[in-house]
Amino acid sequence: MVLGTVLALTVRRPHDWSTTIAHDDGDPLLNSWILGWPAHAIRSSGRLWDANTFAPLANSFAFTDSLLGYLPFGLVGSGPSAALARYNVVLIFTLALAFAGTWVLVRQLGLGRAAALVAATAFAFSPWRASQLGHLQVLSTGGIPLALAMLARGHGIGLRCGSRRARPLWAYAGWVTAAWQISLGFGIGLQLGYVLAVCAGCAALRVVARRLRGDEGPDPALVIANGAGLVLFLGVAAVLAQPYFDVVEEHPQSRRTVEQVEAFSPDPASLVTASPDSWLWGPVTGPLREGVEAVNEKELWPGLLAVGLAALGLARGPWSRQRRIVLLGATATLAALSLGTNGPFGGSGYLLLYEYAPGYQGVRTPGRLVTTAWLALALLAAHGVTVLLRLRPVVRHLDRSTVAAALTALVLVEGLDTAVQVPVERPPSVALADVPGPVLVLPSDQLADILVMHWSADRFPRVVNGYSGFQPLLQAELRRAAARLPSADSLSLLRSSGVRSLLLLHDRLAGTRYERLDLVALAQVPGVRVERRGEVTIVDLASR
């Protein structure tokens, strides 16, 4: 039932999965390539971080989030059509996991099925997610609640909010899940890392306090499990972070500046602003989106029912006052930090993160901190459902399952989106892998190259094209050089950079700087061969 609901809410035309992609043909196409590259690298060269794009640059796979945790999906199928189907399947999986992880966490924290159902739906189908349907790495949040649930079970934080016996293997499994979550990308993984750091610090203080009172220390097996899990988590994070550090050193322009953070920082109104793709709230909050740049990063509305139930969840119920206050503080603090430089006190809180918290100088979108903020809100909403079901008028006149079903349906209605499946342009008649490489496909710019990356999923040939959050200087120079051909300097730069061929897509050249490329003059240059094949032209720069 849950998977069917996810399917209905996200991908509405399953028979088109191999020719269309969910939401748009921008970042989703980029992610379709990302999902396939690691499996190809393992099968072939083994050089994971030196991707087939951005030739001849090294560590090009670290120019964006790696989504490495989805590697098993990449092992199934090959080619652009399989890449589309794979992406659509993974998109469903991410939302299903977000639902399942939150369900398990709420149940582990002692609340009933009705509360878990509403909270899981509120987190997995928040109106906020409609603004991120093109960002698979942002939607991939299910590992956060799942890891926290496993760690809670391992440490005896169980039903009825009381202490139960420790389960070291569950604690270790929680750390493994956390490591998997961070392997999907640091943009979301960092949040989990710092949540775990805060929890570990509080747990350590509690152990010290208990020892000072003369109480028995923690289970040695649990200490070992936590130690091994922590080493694994930090080790995975360190190994995955190193290529990104190398990229920053090699490409200083990739470092996120305060000015970039300011440009992507939401204002307080963003907390009540929904995406235009939100079926219910999009039209209502339309005026708040007018004139806003990078609007999809500034639509943070979690849904009215979730907020209302969370407010009710602050009332007296099965959870302790301390737990309720902690969740309220976490929600408020993280929501404030998500405003970036527009947060309270001039955004000083987020600026402290930017300056002193490892990893946050690589993040330009503060708004994504609502991931953990809205998880805390969903937990409060779960408690609110429990409080509501205990009210005498509700118990007396309505069946609890009816109330739970009605609340879940209302949350689903708030989360409905109007996104559709977008057709994806088929590859050219000449396969990229059949052109002597590395090849530069023209026209080339940040947006055009996304489609080229997707096409390159057919055997992953080396291409100069590539799209990421920054533009490497060499790539920009090669694009300009190709537009100036047959200039001798341009030809020399292309050849010295290892570019073997150009592939011109004539149906896409109009209006670009490559439209007036003189192919006749270029064909007369020694060592260059020009061949027209239907709607494409291949220019071999090192013909013999």
Side-chain angles (χ1 to χ4, degrees), residues 442 485-486 502 504 506 509 514-525 528-532 536-539:
L442 301 177
L485 289 173
L502 308 178
L504 280 69
H506 290 282
L509 290 177
Y514 307 101
E515 183 178 12
R516 298 179 180 177
L517 195 61
D518 192 343
L519 296 178
V520 175
L522 187 58
Q524 297 174 355
V525 175
V528 174
R529 181 169 60 88
V530 178
E531 179 184 0
R532 180 73 181 254
V536 305
T537 293
I538 301 172
V539 180

Side-chain angles (χ1 to χ4, degrees), residues 262-337:
E262 290 176 350
F264 282 87
S265 291
D267 56 43
S270 299
L271 294 172
V272 293
T273 303
S275 166
D277 289 324
S278 173
W279 175 78
L280 179 63
W281 294 110
V284 175
T285 60
L288 297 176
R289 296 191 300 270
E290 293 181 1
V292 177
E293 297 181 357
V295 66
N296 65 322
E297 302 293 356
K298 301 175 182 179
E299 299 157 339
L300 310 180
W301 176 231
L304 182 61
L305 191 59
V307 172
L309 287 172
L312 184 60
L314 296 174
R316 185 175 181 178
W319 280 356
S320 66
R321 177 183 299 178
Q322 180 184 20
R323 181 176 290 183
R324 285 175 276 148
I325 291 175
V326 167
L327 287 174
L328 175 62
T331 302
T333 300
L334 291 166
L337 288 174

Side-chain angles (χ1 to χ4, degrees), residues 424-508:
V424 177
E425 185 176 339
R426 293 184 177 276
S429 56
V430 177
L432 297 181
D434 294 334
V435 179
V439 57
L440 172 57
V441 181
L442 301 177
S444 175
D445 57 46
Q446 287 289 80
L447 295 180
D449 282 6
I450 295 178
L451 188 58
V452 177
M453 294 178 76
H454 168 67
W455 290 339
S456 76
D458 178 13
R459 292 172 282 173
F460 293 93
R462 292 279 282 165
V463 296
V464 179
N465 307 76
Y467 168 82
S468 72
F470 74 99
Q471 183 179 27
L473 299 180
L474 178 60
Q475 185 190 54
E477 292 177 3
L478 294 176
R479 285 172 173 166
R480 290 192 296 266
R484 295 194 301 264
L485 289 173
S487 162
D489 291 341
S490 297
L491 184 59
S492 175
L493 175 61
L494 289 165
R495 284 173 168 171
S496 64
S497 300
V499 181
R500 171 64 188 270
S501 303
L502 308 178
L503 180 65
L504 280 69
L505 308 176
H506 290 282
D507 60 341
R508 300 173 66 90

